[in-house]
Amino acid sequence: GTYLMIKAANMKLTLDKDSLTIVNISGGGCPEVPYLAEEMIGKNLKNAPSPHDIGHTLFGYALHLAHEEAKRVCLH
């Protein structure tokens, strides 16, 4: 398919496989999730901020793990 979804704990990061643009972030019920999505969606995987740097909750940490796995899979 066109998209790749990476899941860590309850957080999911979806990106376009051709352009490596982050197209969706979902999971969790934390108020931080919409903030993380706003900061990352629409940005290229290479240029998107790390959830580790902008997040402050367990949801941010889980998204960081998904972000790192996406970089490992797509950029190496």
Side-chain angles (χ1 to χ4, degrees), residues 4-65:
L4 174 66
M5 179 186 287
I6 307 276
K7 181 179 178 190
N10 62 330
M11 295 301 296
K12 296 171 283 300
L13 182 143
T14 305
L15 53 106
D16 181 289
K17 288 195 285 188
D18 294 329
S19 67
L20 297 182
T21 300
I22 298 171
V23 296
N24 193 35
I25 290 174
S26 61
C30 178
E32 184 176 65
V33 175
Y35 167 73
L36 293 168
E38 183 177 328
E39 293 296 312
M40 298 177 71
I41 290 174
K43 296 188 173 113
N44 185 283
L45 183 61
K46 296 177 194 173
N47 303 324
S50 169
H52 183 265
D53 295 335
I54 61 173
H56 303 287
T57 66
L58 185 58
F59 297 95
Y61 176 70
L63 185 59
H64 169 72
L65 295 177

